[in-house]
Amino acid sequence: NTDGQCVAICVPDCTGEPCSDDGCGGTCGGCPDGEGCDSEGQCIIPTVPADVASVFASHCTGCHKGSSPPEGLNLLADVAYSNLVGMPSANEPSELLVTPGDSENSMLMWRLEKSNGQNLMPPGNKKMPDADIETIKSWIDSLPSGDAP
């Protein structure tokens, strides 16, 4: 510096870690849209946990699958996360299907619990078992707020 003192200079290191801490208080960039950063600084396509995928497979993917699912909502395990988390509802675009960390403000939960004036899902007026609803609720609440593709 100008006082003749030595100043340590931090050299960012992002080698092999496209989305981690750079070691100098910054970040190593980011991941492409629809991807997230894992604990090792690698970009990954997020997926729903196995227990949530199992609930969707048991109650939802009979209809919500393929290239033209109802409301455009495919809930197969490999695409459910990106189709739900932080995504607007086709019927009510001002509402998110899954609001990360906030099941009470997630359209998916309103539909599963027939609350906030929403129709029950799955259709047929037969509510999904409470344990399965709790699995989805716990997953939504476990998502860090702001965690959206």
Side-chain angles (χ1 to χ4, degrees):
N1 70 16
T2 58
D3 296 334
Q5 301 292 320
C6 293
V7 177
I9 298 174
C10 186
V11 178
D13 182 12
C14 294
T15 307
E17 298 179 355
C19 61
S20 67
D21 183 325
D22 68 3
C24 295
T27 59
C28 292
C31 298
D33 286 346
E35 293 186 16
C37 191
D38 70 9
S39 61
E40 291 159 15
Q42 300 301 308
C43 294
I44 58 167
I45 297 173
T47 57
V48 296
D51 58 345
V52 173
S54 178
V55 170
F56 289 159
S58 295
H59 303 287
C60 309
T61 59
C63 297
H64 288 278
K65 65 182 178 185
S67 60
S68 298
E71 309 307 325
L73 185 56
N74 183 334
L75 294 177
L76 291 175
D78 60 336
V79 294
Y81 187 102
S82 60
N83 288 339
L84 288 170
V85 179
M87 299 305 290
S89 165
N91 292 329
E92 296 185 42
S94 64
E95 302 293 347
L96 296 181
L97 292 169
V98 168
T99 302
D102 190 359
S103 62
E104 290 183 22
N105 288 303
S106 295
M107 176 71 74
L108 177 61
M109 291 306 301
W110 299 345
R111 298 298 298 266
L112 297 178
E113 296 174 330
K114 195 176 181 179
S115 61
N116 287 4
Q118 297 302 313
N119 293 325
L120 183 67
M121 280 289 149
N125 271 343
K126 186 168 191 275
K127 189 176 170 191
M128 181 184 295
D130 288 341
D132 289 345
I133 292 173
E134 184 59 33
T135 295
I136 294 173
K137 180 182 186 307
S138 295
W139 166 65
I140 293 171
D141 288 336
S142 76
L143 295 170
S145 58
D147 187 22

